[in-house]
Amino acid sequence: MTTTTQAAATQAATTQAAQSERETVLTVTDLVVSYYTDAGRAKALDKVNLTLKAGEKIGLVGESGSGKSTMALAMMRMIKAPGRIEAGNVVVGDIDLMSLSDKDMLQARLSQIAYIPQGAMNSLNPVTRIGSQLVDAMKAHTKDVSKEEMKERAIAALESVELKPEVFKMYAHELSGGMKQRVCIAIGILLEPKVIIADEPTSALDVVTQRQVMETINRIQEQIGAAVILIGHDMGLMAQSMDKVAVMYAGRLVEVSTVREMFTDPKHPYSQALIRSLPKLEEKGVFEGIPGMAPSLLRLPNGCAFHPRCRDVMDHCKTTRPENQVLTGGRRVTCHLYAEENEKAVA
Amino acid sequence: QEVADIPREDTLHLGWSLTSPIGTTNPWLAGYTHQQGEALQWEPLSYFGIFTDKEIPWLADSMEYTKDDFTELVIKLNPMAKWSDGVSVTSRDVVFTFEGQKNIGTLPYNAAFNQFMESVEAVDDLTVKLTFNQPAPRFKFEVLTLKFDTGIPIVPAHVLEAVEEVSEFEGGADMPHSGPYSIVSWDVNQKVYDLREDWWAVEAGRIDTPDVKRVVYFNIGGQVGQGMDIVAQRVVNSELDSALDMRSSVIDNIIANNPKVTTHSGDQPPYGYLDWWPNSLWMNTQLAPYDDARVRRAMSLVINRGLINDFVYEGAEIATIYPFPLYPGLQAFVDSPAVKALEEELQPGLYDPDASAALMEEAGFTMNRDDLWEKDGETVDATILGFEGIHSDIVPILVEMLRNGGFDSDVSFVQDAYQQMGDGVAGLYMFGHGASLKDPYAALELYHSRFSAANGTSAGGNRFSRYINPEYDAILDEMAPLSDDDPRFQELAAEALGIYWSEQIDIPIIQWLHRIPYNQTNWTNWPTTANPAMGTNGAFWAHTGMLVITNLEAAE
Amino acid sequence: MAPLLEFKNVSKIYNPGKDETVALDNLSFTLKEEEPTILTVAGESGSGKTTLAMLLLGFISATHGQILYKGKDIDNLRGKEKVAFRKEVQAVFQDPFAVFNPFYTVDHLLEVPINRFKIASNKHEAREKMNEALTAVGLQPDEILGRYPHQLSGGQRQRINIARALIMRPKILIADEPVSMVDASLRANILETLQVLQKDYGVSIIYITHDLTTAFHIADSIMVLYRGSVMEAGGVDEVIKTPQHPYTQLLVDSIPWPDLNRRWGQTDLVPSEDSVIGTGCKFYSRCPHAMDVCKSRPGLFQLEPYQTASCYLYKDKPELKTEALSSVLPV
Amino acid sequence: MSLKYIGQRILYLFLVVWAASTITFFIPRLSSRNPVRERFAELARMGGFAPADLEKIIADYSRAFGLDKPLFQQYFDYLAGIARFDLGVSLNLYPKTVAMLLWESLPWTIGLLIVTTILAFVIGNLLGALSAWPQTPNWIRGFATSFVMLQGVPPVLLAILLIFFIGFKLKLAPLGGVYSIGTIPEFSLSFILNLLWHQMLPALALIFGSLGGWVLSMRGMGVTIQGEDYVTYAEHKGLGARTIFRDYYLRNALLPQVTGFALALGNVVVNAIVVESIFGLPGVGSVLFAAIRSNDFLVIYGIVLFITMGVATLMIIVELLYPLLDPRIKHT
Amino acid sequence: MSSVSLNQNLIKRPGRLVLLGRYLRRNPSLTIGLAIMLGLTIFTVYGLLTINPKDAYPLAVRPQQPPSWKYPLGTDFFGRDLYPAMVIGLWQTAIIGLFAGALGTIVGTVLGFLSAYFGGILDKTISTICQILIPIPAFLIHVIIAGAIDKRSVTILTMAFVVFMLAWMGPTLVIRAQVLTMKERQFVSVAKLSGMNSFGIIFREILPNLLPFIAAAFVNQVFQAVFASLYLSVVGLGPLREPLLGNTLWSAQSQAAFFNGWWWWPIGPTVALALILASLALINMGIDELANPRIRTSE
Ligand SMILES: Nc1ncnc2c1ncn2[C@@H]1O[C@H](COP(=O)(O)OP(=O)(O)OP(=O)(O)O)[C@@H](O)[C@H]1O
Ligand SMILES: Nc1ncnc2c1ncn2[C@@H]1O[C@H](COP(=O)(O)OP(=O)(O)OP(=O)(O)O)[C@@H](O)[C@H]1O
Ligand SMILES: [Mg+2]
Ligand SMILES: [Mg+2]
């Protein structure tokens, strides 16, 4: 596999161009999820909105505990007690997942919306062969497909993630971490879903393997034209392989922008701090962290959740929660700083 | 082999514990027991009907002492007697049996034959002469007659002569035998015996053709196996026609649940008949504190025999003051004026805690803080050794009585109880006297110092007392050559009993009862008080069980 | 004077025999007390980084070679010397949660060394030391102390770890991937703390990572390991800006820079799982430049004053003795 | 699987048997009891009298059993006997050998024990797994918990209660025994049905006796497995609950339980001892119970050894089967 | 230093008791188990304070009486009042259980620690011995040991000791396995770096974390001990005069109590044993949850 810069660049250009005509495959509206713990209710997602078009790749970043995995699980309708999806809709294609029966939701998983887990290391059943773990996923979703055909399709999926057909007969412990992660990708694309969510697929891997896995995801995604949500907190990874970035802070999406905008002109103060904290080749030995610590979801500060750490804090930030603003160019920010600008734009 | 179908009406089901190895029938095999159906195959020269106090001639037509000093015995065999293979039972078999007993160390009467038998001789095919080296007035009864669990059967010479090591020869199911039943099926669960059409005793007119065509010994696992309650339930359900002996409350309930079940005493307590095994609290009279007759007596004085009858026997008078069972001969003995007078004087059954306390104080004991007698800082070790299967009802009661009297008592049903008794470790032993049946000699002889092994050695033959008293020995020695119908014998016996009581050699507690349920749903004519039949006891497992079974009649 | 720390031809072989793993292969380097430095040990998973840390801490023994601390073999330290070694060689580990005993509050982590090494003479002084160290790593003592580890964020936990190291005033600190499990936004804080430790407290730091970005920012020198052997070593600037060894090139190329102008993935990837080590260059099976000569193991060739690579591409350059590796590591 | 591994396992088996035989040999000899004498004394008691020269006979027999030799000589003879699978002679049922006793009683026990142990294993593990499985309806969970509580009723009690109430009062089952009294054993359907009919209550008592243990341990295991990523991921794959339960959850949770299976057989024997005797089944348990109560020491040791050997062998067999169940395990 | 820690809003946590209450509500098996245990304890303690111990032995009261106000649990064939008999029986059973359980657990824990922590030849020896002894059915060895002891000196404590003799291998192996994983945990390495010696590491770092496992092992041991004591009673090995639950039960059985309609005699000890064992099983189930970090949802 050869991915030259040029090829990548042209491809990026074409996707960019094609995007506007593409259909919307994912619409998340006002998603609210809470965990009910001993210490009280933790609102892990607070009215989250997101739309994705086919073939679009979005990175979801944010501090640990900000609700990234929760959002992924909520979209899969896999939130378990003590968590609860309290409001909102998730529409994939034209299916409203929240209104599906449990049985239909089973069908929708993997075939409409697939999830590539964070800990691929432990996500494969240690006692059955890899092949059967692909086949049983197919079996659960398709009828009248012969055994041979399923096997063929499974092997094809393995090959598409650059695994040898022999892997079909192997066990998880015989594979390296990167290979396991790619098996999970193979499972994820088996039924060509419209949306693929990958939850930190590479954070446990070293850089070389990480790159290999990301290249695989990108290539496959282009082949089947699915939308991808990549969860992580590595901004480098986002810069290198995503189209858009969504920044999450304390259960809210505080900014959604294209990668370029994010890196050149971040809007939300938290995004700005995030970008500032990134190490740059030019400025060796200069570190700039984000002061303070992530707030507990159990007891968010009044007003804007970020205000205790914000450089540009204003008085009403401490009392009033900012609303989601759509800026020119479709960027979305949740910050009082842009309320005026936005009003102007609307006017 | 093909086993015939025999209907339940013609079959007798007996619940008993089966332990003999499959295929072992030879009575001379080491480890042989007659209790598991073997008695249906092996017959003696004569049986004894205990309740009629009568001898029942069997293979022998007669057995007579031919000398006044009881040194010669002539046996005449029944000419019709035959082994199951058609060979006649002759003097050769008897001589073979006697000589075998004398020569083979593992046989149970080896010692008796060695002690008394001078010679045995076949006078002709049907006559045997037995010569003794000393007066043996009780040899015929004790050894040659089968009753309860003692005596010897006659074995087939033509079979065993050919065998090299008789004590290791199993015999097998087909071993020729003289008894009425042959074994046809045998596994660990049951033994099935079928009636033999050609049993000699019918032709010989000893008995009518038996109604019972088949006997099933069903393995209930014995005292260590299925609980008595479950066996009782099976008797109620008529799955079993008879079974092992039981406690009176259980019999009570069996009869309440199934009125067709009866016992030796019908549906009235004590539901059984007297066994030959009255139980005493034995102790080693050579070991302190039991070497002090006052202590022994003091213990007896705290035993409340009336309470025992109430607690364990629902009021039936089972507690006893004698070391022997009151069978007709012995009843006559204890009813004699001499014994009555002794009893009046010595009060062996007295319950008097105060008198007990006085004796203990006299013996140098003081009451400690736990209300226990103590001397030199030691309480009286009055742990009662016994056998759980048969003593678990009575011993706990005795323990509490002794405790209340200040003796440091406890229950111990250890497996090596018998060994400890034999070894004479200090303590009390609940155990029986399997000795006298007709006259008191055998029971009284238990305390002869001839048998009183020194401490540290083992006391054989249930002679746990290790009692030594030359005066007592003299009385016994004088009795030995006398027949029981000799007045001098009776006089001496009373004297000996007086010493037994006054010295409190052991503490007689209870007579032993066999309370055996008889289910009359299928079979009647069980031996009872009202119907002594041939006068034998009703235990089908005893030597005389064959007579019980062959006398049964099918129910209407 | 003997150097503070000296690795002398150290090898570590796990399960010697048929399926042995050579986790570290004939490694030599020195650290001097008077020149506190930050040395990065980099390499992909399984390259022997943690093994090196464990050897240095004396938790495992070398199969061959010697590790000298102030001139004494650390396996033979006894009594006072041993106590001193324990105190002076400290570590910060990768997983900021696992180092806390869940049974205790976080105070335990700080109290134990204070008590054990008699760093403070009384409770009050101990408390003061703790406060001081926590403040130094940017934590508010009264907010942190008395809490259980799960009640703190990953960054806070990691900083407590560093505070612990601070209290001990070690001479050498081994930081085994101290930021790989920490949020991106906290990374900066922690790395900064480490840097302060070296600069202000004169601690030599061995910084273990597979992330060359952070290595570049914090370290003075770097050593790139591959399957237990040094592939390339030298100053961070030299090695990361102009990597010479094909393996280092691959590593550097695989860094996802948060920079839209740098594109990712110039070099081809050869899946690592296929590679077998023979007697030749360990990177042979994955190397785009593999040559016949690579079937024998290359030595270290000196490229620059502060750069050396173990690769036959540079066989014309002067060869450097293994023992002299430290000479190309700037401080 | 290497030769070395097999060698090790054989050595292990050997050590287990050696340890068991050493324990059984020496512990009783710490006391001063003489089992041969006890046996004869018992015989004498049963017959109501004893031969006068009991001592001589005892000496003869002691010699025959080798009890007069020095202790270590006895010990080595004993070990040598075991090596030849000669487990000695029953004192109580002389001349039956221990091997004969086992041979007679094993068939009655094996059927019952194997069937009940397997049933208890299967049902118990299923219930345990279900009770840890979040989707399980509450009534099943309650059911499973009630079996854990049922463990509190020792099988000996259960046996008594079952016989009295179900057998005697309700007349729904036979009152013990292996087959109806008086039936002549033969190979026929009616006889086999008769056999099975009689095994019902004892089987129930034994199953209830060990079910709870399985429920308990499987539940613990299940909870651990259920938190594993691969189970969650299986849900992400959209698999049905049944498939996940069977292929992902149960299969993994079952692995450690299988090791317990062999060990459980050893414990089941303890229950079997009393259950068999209460039901009057002539199995190994009854033989052992009788031997314990009559101190038939060679029989006790023989059976202890036999059971130990059986358990250890089973453990090894299970271990050998392990790689089939869990591909991660390889025997080297 | 650029980072400024802002005072984080401290979350108010509910009090310990409230948390415990909530925990128990979430862990019904532990709650029910503890409740039963508590009930039994109260019954026993109250009983011990009020009964006349003599009534628990034969000839004390009228025999064969069904339960009444005077005899709440009836009386038996021997004239024991079954209520005091039950109180004393529970007490003695508790002694055996606790003694054997505690001893087995302590020895097992110590050996498990020694074995796992120091490894090497010691570990080899201990674990091999355990593995060799494990397949030997403990109960049968109990029988052999109990059979070899002079019965007259058998007391409740000797009985407990016999039970203990083979009760230590289980905990040894469990604790060993736990220590093995525990000692690989990083906080152990850190403790070493902090200058802690082996002793300190074992007792201060590892042991506290194993408490749930030790508790579970203990409960399991007590369970085994109570069971073993029952079976030893059943086969007639033990202090027979004492009203141990097993003894009462077995003497009821050998007097054919059910058949004779004395149902109250065996029912008492049956229920008591069932309650003890069931509560132990439930507590075990509950502790299991505690010991298993995956389900330990909250602190
Ligand atoms: N099962 C649960 N019970 C209670 N709270 C939970 C649960 N799962 C998550 N949370 C809480 O919800 C919030 C969001 O968690 P989530 O896992 O979505 O974060 P994340 O952004 O994925 O973090 P990370 O980067 O560490 O994976 C956190 O505060 C977390 O503590
Ligand atoms: N205790 C051990 N026994 C056997 N092999 C081991 C052991 N510890 C490590 N290894 C092996 O030694 C090699 C080096 O391991 P090491 O942990 O030092 O690597 P690393 O560079 O720290 O990797 P990572 O980045 O994954 O932490 C690996 O192949 C590993 O599998
Ligand atoms: Mg997450
Ligand atoms: Mg590592």
Side-chain angles (χ1 to χ4, degrees), chain A residues 1-3 5 62-64 164 176 179 182 205-208 210-212 214-215 233-237 239-240 259-260 263 274 277-281 283-285 287-290 293, chain C residues 44-45 143 153 156 182-185 188-189 191-192 195 210 213 216-219 236-237 241 250-251 253-254 256-260 262-269 271 273-274 286:
Chain A
M1 39 115 206
T2 326
T3 329
T5 338
E63 282 175 300
S64 179
K164 286 174 286 180
S176 72
M179 289 166 88
R182 278 183 281 153
L205 305 175
D206 65 55
V207 274
V208 181
Q210 185 176 1
R211 189 185 119 201
Q212 196 182 7
M214 279 318 298
E215 279 174 0
H233 43 226
D234 186 341
M235 290 303 282
L237 213 58
Q240 295 300 334
V259 169
R260 183 150 298 280
F263 279 87
L274 205 57
S277 75
L278 296 175
K280 289 166 202 69
L281 204 49
E283 300 171 34
K284 189 181 168 194
F287 300 102
E288 197 175 345
I290 303 172
M293 102 187 230
Chain C
E44 63 181 33
S45 182
E143 181 193 323
S153 75
Q156 285 174 319
V182 176
D183 234 289
S185 51
N189 297 338
L191 291 177
E192 193 181 4
Q195 208 170 41
H210 64 243
T213 355
F216 173 73
H217 282 277
I218 190 174
V236 263
D237 283 305
K241 284 192 169 153
L250 172 69
L251 273 187
D253 188 46
S254 298
W257 291 99
D259 182 344
L260 296 173
R262 276 180 81 110
R263 269 339 262 186
W264 205 16
Q266 312 293 320
T267 343
D268 280 355
L269 288 169
E273 55 267 18
D274 290 347
R286 293 170 70 184

Side-chain angles (χ1 to χ4, degrees), chain C residues 49-51 94 176-177 208:
Chain C
K49 306 183 295 287
T50 301
T51 303
Q94 177 175 22
D176 189 358
E177 315 218 17
I208 294 178

Side-chain angles (χ1 to χ4, degrees), chain A residues 54-127:
Chain A
E56 217 174 353
K57 296 186 287 183
I58 189 164
L60 187 57
V61 298
E63 282 175 300
S64 179
S66 56
K68 304 183 295 293
S69 298
T70 303
M71 176 154 174
L73 294 178
M75 284 188 280
M76 298 292 294
R77 257 180 68 186
M78 286 275 298
I79 298 285
K80 292 191 185 157
R84 203 186 300 156
I85 300 176
E86 296 185 307
N89 282 314
V90 177
V91 180
V92 175
D94 44 13
I95 306 172
D96 179 0
L97 296 185
M98 295 301 153
S99 64
L100 290 182
S101 69
D102 284 352
K103 218 171 143 212
D104 290 340
M105 187 62 217
L106 282 184
Q107 288 299 314
R109 283 186 199 134
L110 203 66
S111 64
Q112 300 295 327
I113 179 163
Y115 179 85
I116 297 170
Q118 179 162 12
M121 293 294 166
N122 304 317
S123 289
L124 296 173
N125 190 348
V127 297

